[in-house]
Amino acid sequence: MIWIGIVLIVICVLVYHQVALLQSTGILAALLLVYGLVNTNLYLLIVFLAVFLPINIPIIRSRLISKHVYKWMQSVMPEMSQTEQEAMEAGDVWWDAELFSGKPDWSVLNDLPAAQLSEEEQAFIDGPVETLCAMIDDWEITHKRQDLPEEVWKYIKENKFCGMIIPKKYGGLDFSHFAHSEIVMKIASRSSTAAVTVMVPNSLGPAKLLLSCGTQEQKDYYLPRLAVGKEIPCFALTGPNAGSDAGAMPDTGIICHGKFDGKDNVLGIRLNWEKRYITLGPVATVLGLAFKLYDPDHLIGDKENIGITVALIPTDTAGVSIGRRHFPLNSAFQNGPNWGKDVFIPFDYILGGVDQVGNGWKMLMQSLTTGRSISLPALSAGAGKFTCRNTGAYARIRKQFNLPLGEFEGIQEPLARMAGETYIINAARTVTLAALDQGEKPSVISAIIKYELTERMRGIVSDGMDIQGGSGICLGPKNYLGRLYQVIPVCITVEGANILTRTMMIFGQGAVRCHPLIYQEIQTLPLEDKDKAIQQFDELIFRHIGLIMRNKVTSFWLGLTNARFVKVPGDKNTNQYFKAVARLSADFALVSDYAIMILGGTLKRKERISGRFADAISNMYLCTTVLKQFQDQGSQEEDLPLLHWACQHTIFNVQQALWEVLTLLPVKAITCGLRFVIFPLGKPYKEPGDELVGQTARILLSDSKARDRLTHGIYVNEKESDATGRIECAFKAVIAALPVEKKIHQAQKSKQLPKGMDEQVISQAVEKNIISKEEQAVIEEAERLRTLAITVDDFSADEMLPG
Ligand SMILES: Cc1cc2nc3c(=O)[nH]c(=O)nc-3n(C[C@H](O)[C@H](O)[C@H](O)COP(=O)(O)OP(=O)(O)OC[C@H]3O[C@@H](n4cnc5c(N)ncnc54)[C@H](O)[C@@H]3O)c2cc1C
């Protein structure tokens, strides 16, 4: 028994430290030799040789093992369409690959410089962005006009808000991804209509596509015009029969000769399409159109079905119909359908020219990997910060049962969630942007933050609505949250609808692209030279087996010791969370390998399982960005509740997701074994406790540095006539009046004053010298502003009508 124990421990140590197979065999052989000196055992020697001899000789092991695994893998791998393949291959991997590996190299994250604005970018935010926000009246836009006012459109165009990503040599602003996001975030905190209007030209736009794939002539013509809003672009991909499955679009382009610009027999494309939901479509001057290109007469080559192609089409081209407007949930940004019937375009309308025919899907997927990390995460951060600042203040201002709402434990729960989730959103946003600004293009992370940040924003705004009560429900110029609440489903649906993104994309792409070996293994499957393919596969699969063994040992060891001895970065506040992620990363790698092995290609359809894997990897990513944000912001003591809430919440989510995966996976005997390996002492992580919830909520209720840091970058004003300005003024006044209120409360306790805080009570307090005249003014001003802050709008029947 002692010898068995020694052998097992030695194997675990070898596996944990990933000692090469040959060396491990040598060490075990030496151990066997020592054992043989004491106990001669021929059977043991035979077993040892039977196991270790073949697996150390590649030619034997590939015939005995790898060849069969290779064939099995070929049979279980699902067929992938070209669009699926291109979507899978778009972008790169980054920190996500470390988390997938089971043994993250923390320097990848910690060495990333924090995102920063240049002086010029900061000046733009303090100047034109501030002015734009001040010009905007969201109620007027969304109720009266259903559009931005002419002067706002003009200001946006003249100040190059549509040219943030366009290089200076083409007349654009050439801002970093971080600056781009900060700008959208600030505008979103004032008006989602204005934010979406600015987002689209800077996203797919088609400036981004032009920059990466356009011909020089196209860049020279379009980019300077797009930068100053002389051209308003839109991008048309979605149609009635092609929504989430946009690759299935029925829109066609047939290569043929036609008449164009007075000339006959021009080689070009005859297009027929029907698109809908196209943002900026109704006001666009140039249409970025995605369609399937065919060459039935072989006019440009042998291929008949060329594939998805993108063209830039002026909207005044004969045959183009720009329809009427959709009405996306009371948002007033321009959005509508468009279609074309037998529209003939010359070849030079194709984005990138003839060299780029058939590359449209690839271009779109590549662009989406960065675009998806910027626009909606920025909007989510803007909405989260906005709700925290204003609804948090409202919870301080609004009193019921003689107490501010924020004093009630029931209200502190949603307040803490709002603050913690906003902290998470901002961390994920800024860390991802920092990576983008260093040239990374992580596509799985872009899906994670699109999905996670919009969902978390949805939760924050819903919590905000509950706290606002009737003041969130009654629409009007004073209601600052109702319109935001209405627009949320737009963010959930666009740029990859959320259910699909969670259940299909994050783990679907992640398991292949971020896994240290699977992508390389898959790439050997279609190789024509089968001997070479099996030789390559053999090496990979044995590394893979080693990886699984390592993750199993690591999981068990870290589970048993609660990761006490694992080396991670961090300080006294963050160390425990780094350790938890190190442990959960090994668990995740182990369980995902098992799921891939047991379910193979059918995992693609098991969305309940892949959705939970997505939750696990996403929450690990979010937690690590929170740790990085805390460090990058100088490890501020006042932010500790936010740090703890965010880390405990995300870590708990990872644990929960993995636990649920184990209940869903087949072969209970194995999943029970895995559960024991991963959670040998039960589930160790818990949701934030009551005390922490209270501390986190209080950040939103006090005029503190932590509150300012949490809501940094949004539009704030102190105009009493403004919907949020009056909240800001009242909040400050109510806090300034607290010491005076305290004096009155003490006097009320000793029965010197009657109950309440009305004029009579305050006058009596002055008469009895409980407070001074100056203090009376402070408390009366607070009461005046408090009353102003809680008022809601009402309308005559005529005023209810828009326009
Ligand atoms: C306001 C607005 C602006 C837009 N702007 C543009 C634009 O500028 N350009 C453009 O081309 N498009 C635009 N879109 C289209 C947008 O990208 C699509 O709405 C989106 O792709 C979803 O398509 P769908 O609405 O047809 O929903 P569907 O594809 O019908 O999906 C409905 C639901 O089913 C889910 N679902 C679908 N397939 C799966 C699956 N395999 N597994 C799990 N769940 C699944 C989705 O997640 C979603 O919840 C816009 C849409 C809106 C509403």
Side-chain angles (χ1 to χ4, degrees):
M1 287 305 281
I2 291 171
W3 277 101
I4 291 173
I6 292 173
V7 169
L8 280 178
I9 290 170
V10 169
I11 290 177
C12 287
V13 171
L14 294 173
V15 166
Y16 186 71
H17 291 288
Q18 287 185 285
V19 178
L21 181 60
L22 198 61
Q23 276 114 305
S24 301
T25 309
I27 292 168
L28 289 173
L31 204 60
L32 193 68
L33 200 70
V34 176
Y35 178 75
L37 294 177
V38 190
N39 273 310
T40 316
N41 190 330
L42 199 59
Y43 291 121
L44 205 58
L45 186 65
I46 293 169
V47 171
F48 180 80
L49 291 176
V51 173
F52 284 94
L53 209 58
I55 64 168
N56 273 290
I57 304 172
I59 194 150
I60 301 179
R61 76 179 185 201
S62 68
R63 285 214 180 128
L64 287 179
I65 305 167
S66 314
K67 193 172 149 187
H68 303 287
V69 181
Y70 182 82
K71 282 193 178 151
W72 170 80
M73 204 153 157
Q74 271 185 321
S75 69
V76 297
M77 278 312 291
E79 289 267 313
M80 237 194 255
S81 67
Q82 200 188 335
T83 48
E84 278 179 304
Q85 176 107 14
E86 285 173 354
M88 178 73 74
E89 285 170 1
D92 301 324
V93 296
W94 174 61
W95 174 237
D96 43 344
E98 295 298 326
L99 293 172
F100 255 87
S101 74
K103 199 177 180 194
D105 171 359
W106 294 100
S107 67
V108 173
L109 183 71
N110 284 348
D111 293 351
L112 178 74
Q116 266 185 333
L117 295 172
S118 69
E119 268 180 34
E120 189 192 353
E121 291 165 344
Q122 187 63 61
F124 188 80
I125 291 171
D126 296 339
V129 183
E130 183 79 13
T131 307
L132 176 67
C133 290
M135 286 168 81
I136 288 169
D137 176 344
D138 198 45
W139 177 250
E140 191 199 350
I141 292 169
T142 56
H143 182 68
K144 295 192 180 156
R145 290 177 180 267
Q146 299 301 338
D147 195 1
L148 297 173
E150 198 42 54
E151 65 274 15
V152 172
W153 270 109
K154 195 161 168 265
Y155 193 81
I156 286 176
K157 289 177 189 174
E158 281 176 356
N159 286 279
K160 303 186 178 180
F161 279 87
C162 301
M164 283 191 272
I165 59 164
I166 296 176
K168 289 224 163 85
K169 65 174 175 175
Y170 294 111
L173 294 172
D174 199 10
F175 281 168
S176 62
H177 298 300
F178 181 53
H180 176 181
S181 166
E182 290 280 297
I183 292 165
V184 172
M185 180 180 79
K186 185 161 179 166
I187 302 172
S189 71
R190 190 68 172 157
S191 155
S192 52
T193 302
V196 172
T197 305
V198 168
M199 260 157 60
V200 169
N202 289 291
S203 181
L204 273 183
K208 195 174 217 116
L209 295 176
L210 275 166
L211 284 166
S212 57
C213 309
T215 62
Q216 197 54 51
E217 287 82 9
Q218 288 170 340
K219 288 182 194 174
D220 291 343
Y221 178 76
Y222 276 116
L223 291 175
R225 298 169 68 82
L226 288 166
V228 294
K230 263 192 192 161
E231 299 279 356
I232 296 292
C234 69
F235 196 83
L237 176 65
T238 308
N241 289 303
S244 299
D245 186 11
M249 68 185 82
D251 312 301
T252 58
I254 308 290
I255 299 179
C256 60
H257 288 98
K259 195 171 173 182
F260 189 79
D261 225 3
K263 289 185 208 130
D264 287 326
N265 216 20
V266 173
L267 183 63
I269 301 168
R270 190 179 325 106
L271 291 162
N272 283 284
W273 78 87
E274 187 185 357
K275 303 288 188 184
R276 67 179 182 185
Y277 307 151
I278 309 306
T279 304
L280 296 188
V283 292
T285 59
V286 56
L287 185 67
L289 182 78
F291 56 92
K292 286 186 175 157
L293 184 64
Y294 298 92
D295 185 12
D297 299 328
H298 300 284
L299 296 175
I300 64 161
D302 296 339
K303 220 170 160 188
E304 201 161 307
N305 180 354
I306 295 177
I308 295 173
T309 301
V310 174
L312 296 182
I313 304 170
T315 49
D316 57 5
T317 306
V320 175
S321 298
I322 296 294
R324 302 187 303 168
R325 287 179 65 179
H326 296 309
F327 195 0
L329 287 171
N330 273 330
S331 302
F333 61 84
Q334 298 282 338
N335 184 283
N338 63 68
W339 60 94
K341 182 113 186 69
D342 289 331
V343 177
F344 184 80
I345 59 164
F347 251 85
D348 52 13
Y349 279 18
I350 293 174
L351 202 143
V354 74
D355 290 348
Q356 293 291 355
V357 292
N359 283 341
W361 192 250
K362 208 171 175 175
M363 284 181 203
L364 295 178
M365 292 301 111
Q366 297 283 5
S367 282
L368 207 59
T369 59
T370 43
R372 208 166 37 186
S373 304
I374 301 170
S375 307
L376 292 164
L379 200 148
S380 304
K385 291 181 177 194
F386 174 88
T387 313
C388 280
R389 191 162 186 99
N390 293 300
T391 302
Y394 184 82
R396 187 72 198 72
I397 299 162
R398 169 84 173 154
K399 279 183 171 176
Q400 288 294 286
F401 306 99
N402 279 330
L403 276 179
L405 293 180
E407 294 291 320
F408 296 103
E409 287 185 357
I411 292 285
Q412 286 183 0
E413 278 187 29
L415 280 177
R417 267 199 305 268
M418 284 159 52
E421 295 286 24
T422 300
Y423 193 68
I424 294 172
I425 289 179
N426 199 53
R429 178 185 75 95
T430 50
V431 172
T432 307
L433 292 165
L436 253 56
D437 280 334
Q438 293 299 314
E440 305 288 349
K441 291 191 175 91
S443 54
V444 176
I445 288 179
S446 76
I448 289 176
I449 71 162
K450 190 274 156 174
Y451 166 72
E452 286 287 342
L453 273 48
T454 52
E455 286 295 339
R456 282 161 198 273
M457 179 269 283
R458 163 153 57 184
I460 294 166
V461 178
S462 282
D463 277 336
M465 285 294 282
D466 290 353
I467 295 171
Q468 292 283 155
S471 66
I473 292 165
C474 295
L475 290 174
K478 293 198 182 82
N479 184 332
Y480 46 86
L481 206 58
R483 284 294 195 233
L484 189 55
Y485 178 71
Q486 288 179 323
V487 85
I488 290 168
V490 175
C491 307
I492 301 296
T493 301
V494 301
E495 293 198 357
N498 276 12
I499 298 177
L500 168 96
T501 303
R502 170 178 176 259
T503 57
M504 220 178 155
M505 288 158 78
I506 295 174
F507 187 68
Q509 192 180 19
V512 177
R513 292 295 309 278
C514 299
H515 190 285
L517 295 160
I518 284 183
Y519 192 46
Q520 296 174 59
E521 286 163 8
I522 291 175
Q523 281 176 323
T524 65
L525 299 181
L527 292 181
E528 298 220 327
D529 182 344
K530 286 298 161 209
D531 288 340
K532 203 171 157 206
I534 292 173
Q535 198 187 340
Q536 282 178 18
F537 185 79
D538 170 75
E539 203 240 310
L540 292 166
I541 203 73
F542 270 82
R543 274 171 58 198
H544 199 153
I545 293 169
L547 189 73
I548 294 173
M549 287 170 70
R550 184 204 72 188
N551 286 331
K552 200 174 229 171
V553 172
T554 309
S555 273
F556 188 61
W557 174 242
L558 298 188
L560 214 54
T561 57
N562 202 11
R564 193 158 298 131
F565 308 109
V566 70
K567 216 174 150 220
V568 289
D571 57 22
K572 64 179 187 332
N573 294 310
T574 56
N575 200 262
Q576 52 179 322
Y577 303 124
F578 278 110
K579 285 183 172 174
V581 176
R583 174 178 172 182
L584 290 164
S585 165
D587 298 343
F588 175 85
L590 179 65
V591 183
S592 64
D593 256 326
Y594 170 69
I596 294 164
M597 225 157 45
I598 198 100
L599 294 170
T602 56
L603 187 52
K604 193 175 160 184
R605 286 190 300 281
K606 301 271 181 204
E607 292 192 345
R608 278 186 296 154
I609 294 177
S610 58
R612 281 165 175 87
F613 273 127
D615 297 341
I617 188 74
S618 303
N619 277 279
M620 265 195 282
Y621 179 68
L622 298 181
C623 181
T624 55
T625 63
V626 163
L627 292 164
K628 170 108 176 101
Q629 170 175 262
F630 182 73
Q631 286 171 355
D632 287 348
Q633 290 184 344
S635 305
Q636 305 289 337
E637 195 78 15
E638 307 101 316
D639 294 353
L640 280 175
L642 295 167
L643 169 87
H644 291 309
W645 191 97
C647 289
Q648 289 174 22
H649 179 61
T650 46
I651 285 169
F652 177 81
N653 286 346
V654 183
Q655 170 182 271
Q656 201 59 20
L658 289 178
W659 186 272
E660 286 172 14
V661 166
L662 288 173
T663 62
L664 291 169
L665 284 173
V667 194
K668 289 297 157 215
I670 301 182
T671 52
C672 285
L674 278 177
R675 187 171 293 132
F676 175 70
V677 169
I678 292 173
F679 301 115
L681 306 174
K683 289 196 270 182
Y685 305 115
K686 301 212 166 17
E687 277 280 27
D690 288 346
E691 202 182 326
L692 179 55
V693 165
Q695 289 165 357
T696 312
R698 270 190 279 281
I699 287 179
L700 298 189
L701 300 169
S702 57
D703 191 10
S704 63
K705 283 192 183 142
R707 174 178 181 257
D708 285 342
R709 230 183 336 268
L710 181 69
T711 60
H712 178 78
I714 59 168
Y715 178 70
V716 177
N717 75 89
E718 293 190 13
K719 289 188 212 127
E720 282 182 24
S721 57
D722 185 273
T724 55
R726 75 200 162 113
I727 301 290
E728 197 71 24
C729 294
F731 180 66
K732 295 215 163 121
V734 163
I735 287 179
L738 278 180
V740 191
E741 270 193 29
K742 205 172 161 193
K743 284 186 184 175
I744 294 176
H745 283 146
Q746 272 166 355
Q748 286 169 332
K749 268 191 199 158
S750 57
K751 309 275 188 224
Q752 286 175 269
L753 287 173
K755 280 190 180 165
M757 198 61 75
D758 52 33
E759 265 176 44
Q760 282 173 351
V761 174
I762 295 169
S763 307
Q764 277 190 43
V766 179
E767 282 161 21
K768 293 184 181 174
N769 277 337
I770 293 166
I771 61 170
S772 68
K773 283 257 178 219
E774 290 74 35
E775 286 173 323
Q776 179 186 20
V778 169
I779 205 160
E780 281 176 354
E781 177 66 352
E783 285 307 306
R784 183 184 72 80
L785 288 167
R786 191 199 304 270
T787 308
L788 187 68
I790 61 165
T791 52
V792 297
D793 302 290
D794 48 34
F795 302 95
S796 70
D798 285 350
E799 285 169 333
M800 295 284 284
L801 299 172

